[in-house]
Amino acid sequence: MSASRIVSVRITPVAFADPPLLNAVGVHEPYAIRAVLEVTTEDGVVGLGETYGDVGHLERLGLVAEGLRGVDVFDTNAVARRCVETLSGSVGADRHGLTGHITATGTALRVFSSFEVACLDAQGKLLGRPVSDLLGGAVRERVPYSAYLFYKWAAHPGASPDRYGEALDPAGIVEQARAMVATYGFSAIKLKGGVFEPRQEIDAVLALRDAFPALPLRLDPNAAWSVPTSIAVGRELAGVLEYLEDPTPGIAGMAAVAREVPMPLATNMCVVGFEDIAEAVREGAVSVILSDHHYWGGLRESQSLARICSTFDLGLSMHSNSHLGISLAAMTHLASAVTNLTYALDTHWPWKHEDVIVPGVLDFVDGALAVPTGPGLGVELDRDALARLHEQYVACGVRERNDSRYRQSIEPTYDPSVPRW
Ligand code: GKR
Ligand code: MG
């Protein structure tokens, strides 16, 4: 066996505290769950990956992991083949949040992506080069992120308020934006909508425009609106939004909206795999695709997506779910190496205070992260923190993300059906 062959894979589910962030289908539970992957090579190099922690996904990761012993970390094509063969057409049931439909191909790509990142981390460590070099080299040294605002309760029921407090109206949203921009220096702002009736959310965006006239703004109601409502909102926010994200469900609905509103439409819901792109382009449904290496199949498949976007003159941004530092490092390396990833990326980073990595590498300055320069992803696992967050996972009882079920446990009459307005 050469030194770069895999001798073991460890998958550790973890849970970290998450505030009560509201969205179109419910509210975040007190803990977000993730899985941390450690792929160890024969000479003891450990490659790190991070992905969803939902129970079905963990099972699929475990099945694939069993077959990876002996595979070379440089042979990610072989890793991809093992994923497809092992999962043999199974389709994941969970949506890991609001990220659109799932196919068998998408299920395999979701599993492969975290192994690919771990293999790239190991490759970089073996070669003494950052992952950005393995992706063709960084075209930018710093990667900008956006402030990701949420309507939210002050606290989970029975808990003390978190540092951001309540935000249930335009004034609360502006206050949240001020706190986040002051701490991180973000130079773009996204509001998660689909929570209140559209008038309130339009007013929140207008209040943000007045408070931050120089910053690009985005609104994402996660398909909570009908086509006519989306058109009305889009027209009212003409000249105010950088892009409007997933106002309504499906490619046909988005195309109908796109024909009538002045701003670009973006998506992480109706175009979530390569098989969706042809129809979306034919119909003119979207102008910006939010990539996400966790479900597009890893960093290199995300680079292919970027190439396709430039071919069809589509913009490219990046989607986020609640995540930890291994994912943030992977997102940053990817963004550093993609010429046309020019929008400030989404991140849920400000919403958490716990992590599994040693602090000090991923520090925001002026809303941007310096691309880590150490070997691989450039971040180091904090084993005590990993153990602590794993114990938290065991104790917290959350085994799959379900924002609707949690909200209904608090408000039994809550109806998560969309489109709602
Ligand atoms: O964290 O509630 C959330 C978001 O709504 C997330 O689940 C979405 O997938 O951020 C995402 C988006 O842009 O749609
Ligand atoms: Mg979105």
Side-chain angles (χ1 to χ4, degrees), residues 98 148 190 192 220 222 245-246 267-269 290 319 346:
L98 297 156
Y148 194 165
K190 163 169 168 171
K192 173 59 52 174
D220 176 12
N222 282 116
E245 192 174 318
D246 287 312
T267 189
N268 59 265
M269 296 182 79
L290 280 83
H319 166 264
D346 288 359

Side-chain angles (χ1 to χ4, degrees), residues 190-233:
K190 163 169 168 171
L191 173 61
K192 173 59 52 174
V195 176
F196 293 108
E197 53 92 23
R199 180 72 256 159
Q200 213 260 53
E201 300 189 352
I202 293 169
D203 288 344
V205 171
L206 295 175
L208 286 168
R209 191 262 325 261
D210 292 347
F212 301 93
L215 302 198
L217 302 176
R218 308 162 186 174
L219 174 62
D220 176 12
N222 282 116
W225 303 335
S226 66
V227 168
T229 299
S230 304
I231 293 171
V233 176

Side-chain angles (χ1 to χ4, degrees), residues 281-299:
V281 169
R282 227 175 10 245
E283 299 297 319
V286 295
S287 305
V288 179
I289 294 179
L290 280 83
S291 65
D292 181 333
H293 73 269
H294 302 90
Y295 63 83
W296 278 92
L299 306 188

Side-chain angles (χ1 to χ4, degrees), residues 42-60:
E42 200 186 23
D43 61 358
V45 163
V46 179
L48 301 174
E50 178 191 332
T51 180
Y52 316 105
D54 305 70
V55 66
H57 189 64
L58 284 176
E59 278 163 19
R60 289 186 285 278

Side-chain angles (χ1 to χ4, degrees), residues 98-182:
L98 297 156
T99 48
H101 48 279
I102 300 191
T103 59
T105 305
T107 302
L109 290 178
R110 279 167 169 77
V111 171
F112 169 65
S113 64
S114 49
F115 288 115
E116 188 237 25
V117 169
C119 286
L120 288 171
D121 186 36
Q123 290 178 26
K125 286 170 174 162
L126 285 160
L127 296 170
R129 306 295 290 254
V131 164
S132 56
D133 280 2
L134 305 177
L135 301 178
V139 293
R140 55 182 72 83
E141 287 173 2
R142 304 182 54 73
V143 172
Y145 285 83
S146 66
Y148 194 165
L149 312 181
F150 280 80
Y151 289 103
K152 66 181 290 292
W153 298 332
H156 287 285
S160 317
D162 57 67
R163 63 186 157 143
Y164 288 106
E166 182 179 277
L168 296 173
D169 57 19
I173 287 295
V174 169
E175 200 184 320
Q176 186 186 101
R178 286 196 201 288
M180 215 176 260
V181 168

Side-chain angles (χ1 to χ4, degrees), residues 15-19 29-32 156 351-354 389 392:
F16 59 97
D18 199 18
E29 297 194 53
Y31 292 94
H156 287 285
W351 293 110
K352 63 160 192 63
H353 60 269
E354 304 176 290
L389 266 55
Q392 203 155 264

